Amino acid sequence: MGTGSVVAPPPSLAGAGRGLRGRGVLHRRLAASPMKDEPVASTNGGKDEMVTDSLSVARRASHPGLSSSLSNPMSVVPTPFHPAAPSDLRFNRLRPSVEESDCKYKRFFGCYVAREAIIDEEYWIAAWLRAENRYEDQSTDRYVESFKRKFASQEFHALKRRCSKLQGEKYICFVAVKNDELKRTVLNSVVGTLDVCIRHPLHGETFPAEPGKSQFHCRIYQPDQPKFGYLTNVCVAKYARRQGIASNMLLLAIDAARLNGAEEVYIHVHKDNLPARRLYDQIGFRMVDFDGTRQSSDLCLLSFSS
């Protein structure tokens, strides 16, 4: 270095130290904060356990009927009632064969078979199809996928509870499943679903109440009154529509209701849903006349008599 040259003092490291410390704090925060679908470690009475988020995502398979976007590679798996309990849902599970699916009710048509849901994965996909149907007109909503996941998780658990009832009413979840020689997973097999409930009317009840608008009735059945069947949650995956899936599931559900003693089968349909109304009319459903007057709501009650 030449004589007389002046060397500038090194810049202060105080700011740099603050920046490094700040970045270290930020890094620790990010490391400590779980990602959206990452298990969260918690401490309970000194015992560490793993609890999952209310919804976990399995990125193992994709299905065109289970997402509003065909390029979405994720399918949603609900957590069990107790977060610490493991979930038995496996979407890489192969669908049961016709011989393995020992069902009381079956209907073969084309390359499909309509039957009872027999494993949890089928119940879950039935719940997801209902979520897809519920939010079908809100595909551009920013949070629609989260809404569908929450709805499907709630419906899955509610559906399992309804189908496990042993007294008062019989509740059956039907699914339409691909029927071919290929080895398919359950996820890539279920294309449609509907439910049927067979029961006696409640005291004070004449017809099934509209979904979500149930009037108060004594929760005591009238065994001296004839049973009826009530159909709900008719859904078909978008890519599988117009193949007779809905009509064959409806016919199977009507047969199941009859075999369980139902004299009439009811279903609600929105008055503006013309395709559905045409379908029900072709099967044989007719508008219910309430003492000579029609219902004033947007839902129409239809009945099928044997």
Side-chain angles (χ1 to χ4, degrees):
M1 182 177 298
T3 305
S5 60
V6 179
V7 179
S12 172
L13 297 178
R18 285 195 299 269
L20 290 173
R21 285 195 299 271
R23 190 172 69 174
V25 171
L26 178 61
H27 178 75
R28 287 194 297 274
R29 287 177 180 174
L30 290 175
S33 301
M35 298 300 288
K36 181 178 181 181
D37 303 308
E38 185 180 19
V40 184
S42 65
T43 303
N44 184 7
K47 297 180 179 180
D48 289 338
E49 63 178 3
M50 298 302 293
V51 296
T52 58
D53 189 26
S54 60
L55 294 171
S56 58
V57 177
R59 297 175 175 84
R60 297 175 182 173
S62 61
H63 187 274
L66 300 183
S67 175
S68 57
S69 171
L70 300 185
S71 61
N72 185 353
M74 297 188 296
S75 62
V76 185
V77 183
T79 56
F81 284 121
H82 303 288
S87 173
D88 293 330
L89 292 170
R90 294 183 292 109
F91 289 104
N92 58 353
R93 181 175 181 174
L94 294 179
R95 66 178 175 191
S97 65
V98 175
E99 294 76 17
E100 293 172 336
S101 54
D102 184 17
C103 301
K104 185 176 180 180
Y105 312 105
K106 284 183 185 178
R107 184 182 179 89
F108 294 90
F109 59 99
C111 58
Y112 300 98
V113 56
R115 58 168 174 78
E116 304 160 73
I118 57 176
I119 57 177
D120 283 356
E121 287 81 0
E122 291 175 345
Y123 283 106
W124 167 248
I125 299 172
W128 182 256
L129 286 174
R130 295 167 193 186
E132 285 277 303
N133 182 72
R134 180 182 179 89
Y135 293 99
E136 186 171 327
D137 298 330
Q138 303 179 35
S139 58
T140 58
D141 192 296
R142 180 179 178 182
Y143 302 105
V144 67
E145 292 298 323
S146 297
F147 296 155
K148 287 192 291 187
R149 292 169 186 166
K150 182 178 180 180
F151 178 89
S153 182
Q154 294 172 343
E155 175 64 16
F156 169 74
H157 295 305
L159 181 58
K160 291 284 292 180
R161 288 195 301 269
R162 293 194 295 264
C163 290
S164 63
K165 283 188 177 180
L166 300 178
Q167 295 180 346
E169 60 187 42
K170 184 175 182 63
Y171 204 97
I172 308 172
C173 174
F174 288 104
V175 291
V177 183
K178 293 177 182 177
N179 182 35
D180 51 33
E181 300 299 326
L182 300 177
K183 287 187 176 181
R184 298 181 184 273
T185 62
V186 176
L187 184 68
N188 288 309
S189 299
V190 178
V191 296
T193 180
L194 67 78
D195 298 336
V196 61
C197 176
I198 305 103
R199 63 178 176 85
H200 291 285
L202 300 172
H203 277 277
E205 182 183 42
T206 305
F207 300 104
E210 295 180 9
K213 297 184 180 180
S214 298
Q215 299 177 358
F216 176 78
H217 296 293
C218 177
R219 297 301 300 179
I220 299 176
Y221 296 96
Q222 304 181 71
D224 57 325
Q225 297 297 317
K227 288 183 178 180
F228 64 79
Y230 183 61
L231 303 174
T232 56
N233 299 316
V234 183
C235 302
V236 177
K238 281 185 179 181
Y239 74 98
R241 292 174 183 172
R242 300 187 181 277
Q243 300 184 56
I245 293 172
S247 59
N248 279 278
M249 288 194 301
L250 288 165
L251 292 172
L252 177 63
I254 291 171
D255 289 343
R258 285 173 169 174
L259 290 173
N260 283 275
E263 294 187 4
E264 293 197 62
V265 181
Y266 296 96
I267 191 169
H268 277 100
V269 61
H270 197 281
K271 65 181 182 180
D272 294 332
N273 191 347
L274 299 181
R277 293 183 63 175
R278 284 194 294 267
L279 171 64
Y280 300 143
D281 184 68
Q282 292 171 2
I283 291 176
F285 283 90
R286 297 294 178 261
M287 184 87 70
V288 172
D289 197 340
F290 293 86
D291 297 326
T293 60
R294 301 292 185 181
Q295 278 184 301
S296 59
S297 71
D298 291 334
L299 291 179
C300 304
L301 182 63
L302 309 179
S303 69
F304 181 96
S305 300
S306 56

